[in-house]
Amino acid sequence: MVDYGIEYWGKDDFIIEDGQVKVNYKSKPALINIVKQVREEGYRGPLLVRFPHLMKKQVEKIFTSFENSIKEYHYKGKFKAVFPIKVNHYPNFILPLMENTTHRCYGLEAGSKSELIIAMAYTNDNAPITVNGFKDKEMISLGFIAAKMGHDITLTIEGLNELETIIEVAKTLGKPYPKIGLRIRLHSTGIGIWAKSGGINSKFGLTASELVEAISLLRKNDLLNKFTMIHFHIGSQISDISPLKKALREAGNIYAELRKMGAKNLNNVNIGGGLAVEYAQHENQQNRNYTLAEFSGDVVFTLKEIAKNKKEPEPNIFIESGRYVSASHAVLIAPVLELFSQDYDEKSLHLKDKNPPLVEELVDLYNTINERYAIEYLHDSLEHMESLLTLFDLGYIDLQDRSNTEVLVHLIIKKVIKTLKHKNHSDIIRIQEQVQERYLLNCSFFQSLPDYWGLEQKFPVIPLDRLNRRPTRSASLWDITCDSDGEVAFDKNAPLFLHDIDINQEEYFVGFFLVGAYQEVLGMRHNLFTHPTEFSVVFDEEEGGYKIENLLESQTILDVLEDLDYDTKEIERSLKQRLEDSKEISEDAKKEVLGQLYIMLSENGYLRTVFKNGGEKS
Ligand SMILES: *Cc1c(COP(=O)(O)O)cnc(C)c1O
């Protein structure tokens, strides 16, 4: 697996060339060079790199695919889309997304008051806003204000009480009214780990009898002409297209029936989100069984059939894809701080004049490893280690013997791997689980990959360079939180190999891809590690070169504490006072320590380590 499955997850967004991961756009810069450029400015710790051209690319793909399907089936409805803000609500995502899609009918979806404010401020002119989720009177009034500003806004009703509030607000605020949508409760459900948004027991939507009731309420209050959309959302990351088709048939028929009941302005079917992203890094582990073209074709075809059978006009199609639009735009880059076994070198071996016989055997194995018997020797040494550890527990060997055992076994593992490097890789694969290397990464999985922790969602991982060298170490990844869940464990069904490097001499960076959807917004400050330093790589469309923009440094320790509502002035005062009261150090030293403290408080909390030769790293 030297290409790390880039053809599956990278599509043609990223490529491997000259042993480096490169952005497959314009001047095709290597990620490692972008990283080095930013680090030269003194930024340390993990980096989140955004690529606005990939936001645009995904939106274009969706529009092109639906436009092609519409043409193919001579479909009469139009295609429109919105981005659900909850998937990535950061300004460095939302603003470039809107700037890059002005030529499309592409707006925003809001699910809370704060999101609605973002949508009202940043949705492009003539692009739609849809509002889902539970709403109170204030939020509904906000929707009316948006309509008065000239926004094309649809409030999607999740329950009859919301409709009653709309009727009430309409009386006080008057025209223009926002458009009204109804979220329908389907009996079809999605599948996969996120499939909780559909089905008869789902949290959202109106049942058939509530829909009938809603129509009569709308008619009675002279609002039926504002009812223009039905909406459903069967859950995120739809892996199989058949539940979607089933949901579409159900929704299409509801659309036609509601029109027959007199909802003559109902002309939009909003199919929600759920378009899946391919995260797989290995053959035969793909996350979805359909292409975008198949998806759009099925949607258009199904709605066309229903409209024809029921003799109703073909509705406009709305989509609210979040994951598919945003996942690929962001890459998390983590510097490797340490290889767990790196300290096990020959210098740490302190053999005695007389060693326990099994230790002597380990020495012998180490000195005589050859290609032919390498695996056998490795197994022998692992067995010897087990025996020696038991001897230690029983009190027969001392700590020095135990240390020599650990060092020797690590040396043997490394030598075996080196010996087999040019041979059949499957030999190494056979022993991979027993001899993993642990790579300590300067990042927090809780902050930057929360779905890995919460849902075991895998993200593609790849080192940024050395890709023309075969990686030999089966790897598990550790983050710097003090939590044993902060680990991406080695998985023999989806093995990860990394390079054997001397981290005291060389830098090594690992990239996690497709982290632009949900990860940033769900990330948590476990151990008070905050969001990484982030920036956008913006390409010059004519010249092809790129610029670093929107650089936002990771929060300082003081800022993090202030966000938690600590009184940071008091913290500073208290630290100073305690230092002044201390009798342990001289007055001069106190000043120096205080200076150091202040510098630390103004830096971010990620680790700053140095090369053994003194140069700064990580
Ligand atoms: C979350 C959500 C979406 C986005 O789903 P994706 O799987 O990210 O495309 C769309 N619509 C609604 C109503 C949602 O709640």
Side-chain angles (χ1 to χ4, degrees):
M1 192 194 72
V2 185
D3 64 1
Y4 293 83
I6 198 165
E7 63 185 296
Y8 306 122
W9 57 264
K11 301 289 180 264
D12 49 0
D13 298 343
F14 298 95
I15 48 167
I16 298 175
E17 228 177 60
D18 311 321
Q20 300 172 320
V21 187
K22 294 187 174 176
V23 188
N24 189 23
Y25 194 63
K26 300 291 175 189
S27 58
K28 298 194 179 170
L31 277 174
I32 187 82
N33 294 337
I34 298 174
V35 167
K36 283 186 174 156
Q37 181 187 342
V38 169
R39 287 167 59 88
E40 260 163 33
E41 309 286 317
Y43 298 102
R44 288 295 179 273
L47 297 172
L48 187 82
V49 192
R50 298 186 197 278
F51 295 99
H53 74 279
L54 292 178
M55 306 174 192
K56 181 173 181 173
K57 180 175 177 180
Q58 294 305 99
V59 173
E60 283 303 306
K61 271 201 216 168
I62 292 180
F63 271 87
T64 315
S65 186
F66 271 90
E67 283 170 358
N68 288 344
S69 301
I70 283 174
K71 217 182 271 166
E72 185 185 341
Y73 292 108
H74 306 288
Y75 189 79
K76 305 212 181 48
K78 291 199 185 66
F79 177 73
K80 299 177 183 187
V82 288
F83 180 81
I85 296 174
K86 75 160 194 278
V87 183
N88 194 320
H89 51 217
Y90 285 96
N92 288 338
F93 175 79
I94 295 288
L95 273 60
L97 180 70
M98 288 292 101
E99 278 162 28
N100 276 295
T101 53
T102 44
H103 59 297
R104 292 293 191 185
C105 198
Y106 191 64
L108 293 169
E109 184 266 357
S112 67
K113 289 175 207 173
S114 319
E115 289 183 2
L116 182 50
I117 292 290
I118 294 175
M120 288 163 68
Y122 292 110
T123 306
N124 289 321
D125 288 347
N126 304 319
I129 296 177
T130 62
V131 186
N132 301 316
F134 298 111
K135 300 170 227 27
D136 63 0
K137 189 170 169 185
E138 200 178 63
M139 188 159 165
I140 286 170
S141 308
L142 206 52
F144 276 71
I145 294 170
K148 288 182 201 302
M149 288 174 178
H151 277 301
D152 173 5
I153 180 171
T154 308
L155 298 180
T156 302
I157 302 312
E158 307 275 358
L160 286 176
N161 56 336
E162 285 181 11
L163 189 51
E164 278 155 15
T165 316
I166 290 199
I167 293 164
E168 191 188 326
V169 174
K171 286 187 184 132
T172 43
L173 291 187
K175 291 181 179 170
Y177 299 154
K179 296 176 184 167
I180 297 169
L182 297 179
R183 183 157 180 169
I184 55 182
R185 185 175 298 228
L186 299 175
H187 67 76
S188 333
T189 44
I191 50 172
I193 40 181
W194 287 280
K196 297 190 197 83
S197 311
I200 229 71
N201 295 319
S202 82
K203 188 168 154 192
F204 299 109
L206 282 76
T207 61
S209 48
E210 285 170 328
L211 283 173
V212 174
E213 169 89 28
I215 296 293
S216 116
L217 260 176
L218 285 164
R219 180 177 285 127
K220 209 159 58 195
N221 290 280
D222 224 9
L223 281 169
L224 195 53
N225 62 334
K226 296 308 285 182
F227 170 45
T228 58
M229 179 186 285
I230 55 165
H231 171 243
F232 68 89
H233 171 66
I234 62 169
S236 207
Q237 188 71 357
I238 302 172
S239 52
D240 178 358
I241 198 149
S242 45
L244 177 81
K245 287 203 238 180
K246 204 158 159 274
L248 270 169
R249 279 193 291 274
E250 194 181 343
N253 279 300
I254 291 176
Y255 155 80
E257 291 301 317
L258 290 172
R259 281 192 59 98
K260 290 191 192 305
M261 286 176 66
K264 287 301 171 212
N265 284 348
L266 172 59
N267 60 351
N268 298 292
V269 173
N270 180 340
I271 65 170
L275 197 48
V277 164
E278 187 52 77
Y279 294 98
Q281 220 171 352
H282 298 269
E283 214 181 333
N284 302 327
Q285 296 187 359
Q286 274 86 327
N287 298 159
R288 58 169 213 217
N289 69 354
Y290 56 91
T291 61
L292 178 57
E294 194 181 340
F295 181 89
S296 65
D298 280 343
V299 173
V300 171
F301 178 78
T302 310
L303 290 177
K304 187 177 174 84
E305 283 294 295
I306 294 169
K308 192 171 86 189
N309 292 341
K310 296 233 156 168
K311 302 198 170 51
E312 290 292 341
E314 293 164 1
N316 299 324
I317 298 166
F318 256 78
I319 187 170
E320 300 178 332
S321 263
R323 184 186 298 276
Y324 189 83
V325 168
S326 59
S328 63
H329 96 279
V331 180
L332 173 75
I333 291 164
V336 173
L337 291 171
E338 213 177 289
L339 271 63
F340 182 75
S341 77
Q342 72 192 5
D343 294 330
Y344 293 111
D345 55 18
E346 285 193 18
K347 284 198 292 284
S348 343
L349 196 58
H350 299 289
L351 291 171
K352 302 173 178 167
D353 292 336
K354 185 155 173 37
N355 299 290
L358 280 175
V359 172
E360 290 293 350
E361 273 199 47
L362 284 177
V363 175
D364 214 40
L365 286 171
Y366 178 52
N367 289 331
T368 56
I369 287 172
N370 55 48
E371 207 173 297
R372 181 141 176 231
Y373 294 109
I375 299 279
E376 210 176 311
Y377 279 27
L378 179 81
H379 285 149
D380 288 350
S381 70
L382 292 174
E383 256 168 49
H384 290 352
M385 180 167 71
E386 279 306 312
S387 309
L388 281 159
L389 290 177
T390 307
L391 288 176
F392 179 79
D393 294 346
L394 296 174
Y396 291 114
I397 65 169
D398 65 17
L399 196 57
Q400 186 59 58
D401 296 327
R402 179 172 164 173
S403 159
N404 289 337
T405 303
E406 288 174 6
V407 174
L408 279 164
V409 170
H410 280 284
L411 288 173
I412 290 169
I413 289 172
K414 280 192 195 179
K415 198 162 170 188
V416 166
I417 288 171
K418 209 166 178 177
T419 314
L420 294 177
K421 202 158 93 178
H422 306 290
K423 264 193 67 184
N424 189 350
H425 213 217
S426 68
D427 280 338
I428 302 186
I429 293 176
R430 267 201 300 133
I431 54 168
Q432 65 205 0
E433 268 189 290
Q434 290 155 314
V435 297
Q436 296 158 33
E437 179 61 281
R438 286 151 192 129
Y439 291 75
L440 180 68
L441 307 184
N442 198 0
C443 69
S444 156
F445 297 152
F446 298 88
Q447 170 63 229
S448 296
L449 306 172
D451 277 345
Y452 178 78
W453 170 71
L455 297 165
E456 293 185 28
Q457 171 63 49
K458 291 229 160 92
F459 294 89
V461 193
I462 179 172
L464 300 190
D465 62 357
R466 294 177 177 74
L467 294 165
N468 41 16
R469 272 170 44 194
R470 180 184 264 180
T472 52
R473 300 306 314 260
S474 46
S476 58
L477 307 175
W478 284 354
D479 73 3
I480 51 170
T481 65
C482 309
D483 192 314
S484 49
D485 276 345
E487 179 187 8
V488 176
F490 183 76
D491 174 358
K492 70 168 187 279
N493 298 315
L496 172 69
F497 289 91
L498 293 175
H499 298 90
D500 195 11
I501 37 160
D502 180 355
I503 210 68
N504 292 319
Q505 307 291 333
E506 322 164 73
E507 290 183 314
Y508 193 57
F509 298 93
V510 179
F512 292 87
F513 286 72
L514 302 173
V515 301
Y518 296 102
Q519 302 318 295
E520 293 171 60
V521 300
L522 296 175
M524 57 204 112
R525 300 183 193 181
H526 200 16
N527 270 153
L528 295 187
F529 289 112
T530 153
H531 67 77
T533 295
E534 63 159 83
F535 57 89
S536 303
V537 174
V538 181
F539 287 89
D540 185 314
E541 290 300 317
E542 266 107 64
E543 314 269 316
Y546 69 88
K547 279 207 293 277
I548 304 284
E549 287 182 9
N550 303 333
L551 194 138
L552 184 67
E553 195 173 357
S554 183
Q555 272 187 312
T556 68
I557 292 175
L558 271 185
D559 286 344
V560 174
L561 297 177
E562 192 161 311
D563 270 5
L564 298 176
D565 280 339
Y566 277 100
D567 182 342
T568 50
K569 286 278 162 292
E570 186 180 275
I571 286 180
E572 285 178 290
R573 255 196 321 272
S574 160
L575 292 175
K576 191 166 172 223
Q577 194 61 52
R578 279 163 197 256
L579 201 56
E580 270 167 14
D581 295 347
S582 165
K583 297 184 177 58
E584 303 294 326
I585 49 177
S586 71
E587 289 307 310
D588 277 354
K590 279 180 187 175
K591 274 207 195 89
E592 205 183 311
V593 172
L594 195 64
Q596 282 170 348
L597 260 178
Y598 282 150
I599 289 175
M600 230 180 279
L601 290 173
S602 67
E603 288 176 342
N604 72 60
Y606 286 100
L607 301 188
R608 302 176 79 86
T609 51
V610 289
F611 278 127
K612 292 246 159 91
N613 65 17
E616 199 175 5
K617 179 178 94 162
S618 294

